[in-house]
Structure formats: C-alpha cells, structure tokens
C-alpha cells in the first residue's frame, strides 16, 4: 500500500461523504505525514480498525467547524459544542472511515471497524503505540478547515 | 395508509437524519419510533405489536449489532416487517450477508434523497 493510494482513498471518501451528506464543497490541501503529533484543540472523532492491518482513523476539527457540521446535519443553527454536535462529528467520521475502509480493503484485506469515540477539549495529545506514522490530509471548507488522519500498520505475528 | 417506522442507530443525529430523509421521500409516514441498539429495538417492537411497518437498522452498533438484530427479528413474530440495513460499509460481502439474513434492502451512508426514494419505492410501490 503506497502513500498515494492512502491519500487517494481518503480524498475520494471525504469528498463523497461531505458532498452527498451535507452538500459542502471541500478543498483538498497538501497531505503529509506526521510522526510527532502536536497538542490539539477542538473535536476529534476516532475509530479503530482491526484485521491483518490495525490502526486508527480520525476526523479532527476546531469547535467552530464542529458546530457548522452539526448545524448542517440537523438543519438548525448550533453555536456551541453540544452532544448533538459531538454525535454529528462522530457520524461524519464513521461515514468517511467506512468509505476509506471499503477502498483500502482490496489492498490490506478485510478490516473491522469500531464505533466512533469523540473527544472534545483543549491542549490534548494523541499517541498510538502501534505505528508512529500518521497520514494527515487537511481539507478547507470556506473559512474553516478539518483534517482526516489515519494510521494503519500490518499486525505483527506473535 | 401511513406506515409507522422504527429507526435503529446508535447515533441520535443519524436517527434524526434518517427520519427527515424518510419523511421527505414522499411516503406517508405515521409515527417514528427510535432505538439506539438492537436490544432496545426488540423491546420497542414488542411494545408496538404489529404497529411497525418498516424498519431502518444500522449495522455497526454496541450491545446488539444490526445483523444480530436482523437474525432475531426474522426468527420472531415480526419476520414480515421489511428491514432496510443502513451502513457505512458497502462491500458486496456485507450486502450479501444482510440480504441472506432476510434484509429487504440495503442503503449505504452517505445516501442521497434519490437513493432513499428508490429503496422506499421498491418496498412500497
């Protein structure tokens, strides 16, 4: 599995979910790798993958865009991070990662996916023990932005 | 005659989106009952008796997932109620698994209004 294949899977999946579900046009930015995640502020939805390959997929955004997502999904104005907003970000992550999973399975074999967990806070770190390298794909949506992050590594045999 | 719908999804937001989508699909919808997993859904079905005419069910849920719920419904008194599976996972294997367990349809998230109309139009021509 090449970096390009991963980036393509993320871009196509993210674009499909945002345009179909929310009718939001997104602008892909320059993707890259991250090995030393910096402290973050905002909302992060995480889903685990397991199979021959294991890892984690993340949708990360700031509070303002999380509220915009929640507002678009529920068709109502939301100005603060509520449970509905966290639920909405989790569901968007679920849909994006479900699509990514379908696109990567021909390359990495069958993957099972967890239900989403959503974290909201300030100055928090993420760390994974399985794989230090994250693929990070930033997207712009008008004045806002969000990131899709993925780490996936081949499971070591005992 | 309006159809009462049971929507099963662990995401409250997704339940609202599904309800809105079904109501927009030009179908006569009566009451909408919600459940957050298969266990709660079986309870709601028992309470509603034969009042539920259509079920939308997420696949990936805690406690009892959608496929297990589907098995239990098809073994129970509600086997004639059409169950449409709703999931992010659209691989052919998953679709075939759900259909072989008795699902009446399969819709993949994210879905368009046209896709929802197509599924409902097939079940309620």
């Amino acid at each position: 599995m090449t970096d390009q294949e991963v980036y393509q899977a993320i871009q196509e999946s993210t674009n499909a979910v945002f345009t179909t579900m929310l009718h939001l046009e997104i602008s892909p930015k320059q993707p890259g790798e991250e090995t030393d995640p910096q402290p973050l502020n905002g909302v992060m939805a995480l889903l685990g993958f397991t199979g021959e390959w294991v890892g984690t997929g993340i949708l990360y955004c700031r509070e303002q865009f999380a509220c915009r997502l929640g507002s678009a999904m529920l068709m109502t104005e939301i100005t603060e991070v509520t449970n509905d907003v966290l639920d909405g970000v989790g569901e968007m992550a679920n849909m994006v990662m479900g699509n990514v999973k379908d696109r990567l399975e021909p390359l990495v074999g069958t993957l099972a996916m967890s239900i989403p967990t959503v974290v909201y806070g300030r100055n928090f770190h993420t760390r994974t023990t399985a794989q230090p390298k994250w693929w990070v794909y930033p997207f712009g949506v008008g004045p806002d932005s969000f990131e899709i992050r993925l780490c996936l590594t081949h499971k070591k045999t005992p | 005659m309006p159809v009462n719908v049971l929507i099963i999804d662990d995401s409250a937001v997704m339940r609202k989106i599904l309800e809105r989508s079904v109501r927009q699909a030009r179908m006569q919808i009566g009451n909408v009952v919600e459940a957050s997993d298969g266990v709660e859904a079986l309870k709601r079905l028992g309470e509603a008796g034969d009042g539920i005419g259509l079920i939308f069910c997420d696949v990936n849920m805690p406690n009892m997932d959608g496929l297990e719920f589907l098995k239990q419904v098809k073994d129970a008194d509600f086997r004639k109620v059409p169950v449409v599976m709703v999931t992010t996972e659209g691989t052919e294997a998953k679709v075939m698994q759900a259909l072989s367990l008795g699902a009446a349809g399969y819709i993949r998230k994210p879905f368009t209004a046209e896709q929802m109309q197509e599924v409902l139009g097939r079940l309620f021509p």
Side-chain angles (χ1 to χ4, degrees):
Chain A
M1 183 171 63
T2 65
D3 290 347
Q4 189 54 41
E5 287 168 328
V6 173
Y7 292 138
Q8 186 178 346
I10 292 174
Q11 185 187 337
E12 289 175 356
S13 302
T14 308
N15 190 53
V17 170
F18 275 75
T19 53
T20 308
M21 205 71 203
L22 303 178
H23 307 291
L24 281 178
E25 292 296 325
I26 60 173
S27 311
K29 308 290 185 192
Q30 182 63 41
E33 294 173 13
E34 189 175 86
T35 53
D36 183 22
Q38 298 303 299
L40 298 168
N41 300 306
V43 179
M44 175 178 276
L46 307 97
L47 290 107
F49 292 107
T50 182
E52 281 299 305
W53 290 63
V54 293
T56 307
I58 287 175
L59 189 160
Y60 163 70
C61 62
R62 303 298 293 262
E63 287 180 33
Q64 184 180 329
F65 186 63
C67 292
R68 194 175 157 195
L69 278 183
S71 299
M73 293 176 88
L74 292 170
M75 292 181 151
T76 184
E77 182 73 19
I78 302 176
T79 55
E80 60 182 25
V81 177
T82 61
N83 283 343
D84 276 350
V85 168
L86 299 179
D87 199 13
V89 175
E91 191 53 39
M92 289 300 286
N94 189 36
M95 284 187 270
V96 170
M97 289 307 159
N99 273 260
V100 168
K101 168 184 170 309
D102 284 353
R103 285 177 162 87
L104 292 183
E105 277 183 333
L107 303 172
V108 301
T110 302
L111 293 169
M113 199 170 77
S114 74
I115 56 174
T117 295
V118 187
V119 177
Y120 168 44
R122 296 180 194 278
N123 200 31
F124 58 86
H125 275 273
T126 59
R127 181 167 174 77
T128 178
T129 53
Q131 154 83 304
K133 175 178 130 180
W134 287 82
W135 290 285
V136 181
Y137 208 139
F139 294 88
V141 193
D144 298 313
S145 62
F146 68 96
E147 289 177 356
I148 300 296
R149 295 165 168 253
L150 181 69
C151 78
L152 209 53
T153 187
H154 194 268
K155 191 162 66 178
K156 295 179 179 69
T157 48
Chain B
M1 187 172 165
V3 175
N4 296 327
V5 180
L6 172 62
I7 296 177
I8 315 161
D9 198 305
D10 54 323
S11 161
V13 166
M14 200 62 220
R15 294 198 298 271
K16 290 174 189 169
I17 290 172
L18 272 167
E19 177 176 355
R20 188 173 70 218
S21 179
V22 175
R23 288 192 185 281
Q24 286 172 343
R26 295 182 204 157
M27 184 180 156
Q28 273 199 301
I29 299 296
N31 294 326
V32 172
V33 179
E34 297 184 13
S36 60
D37 60 40
V39 175
E40 188 185 356
L42 288 172
K43 191 175 164 197
R44 296 279 170 267
L45 266 178
E47 290 165 353
D50 58 359
I52 300 293
L54 174 62
I55 299 171
F56 284 93
C57 183
D58 186 21
V59 171
N60 203 11
M61 295 183 292
N63 298 327
M64 182 192 292
D65 69 16
L67 295 179
E68 180 59 32
F69 169 79
L70 187 58
K71 279 184 211 166
Q72 298 215 14
V73 161
K74 292 301 165 186
D75 287 341
D77 296 336
F78 315 106
R79 66 177 67 88
K80 289 182 181 168
V81 182
V83 182
V84 177
M85 304 307 289
V86 186
T87 183
T88 58
E89 298 174 46
T91 58
E92 193 177 346
K94 284 278 181 187
V95 175
M96 294 309 292
Q97 188 182 7
L99 294 178
S100 70
L101 288 170
Y106 200 97
I107 192 163
R108 185 183 182 190
K109 296 185 276 187
F111 53 83
T112 62
E114 291 75 23
Q115 287 167 330
M116 177 60 81
Q117 278 188 347
E118 191 265 328
V119 169
L120 293 178
R122 196 160 37 78
L123 292 174
F124 299 93

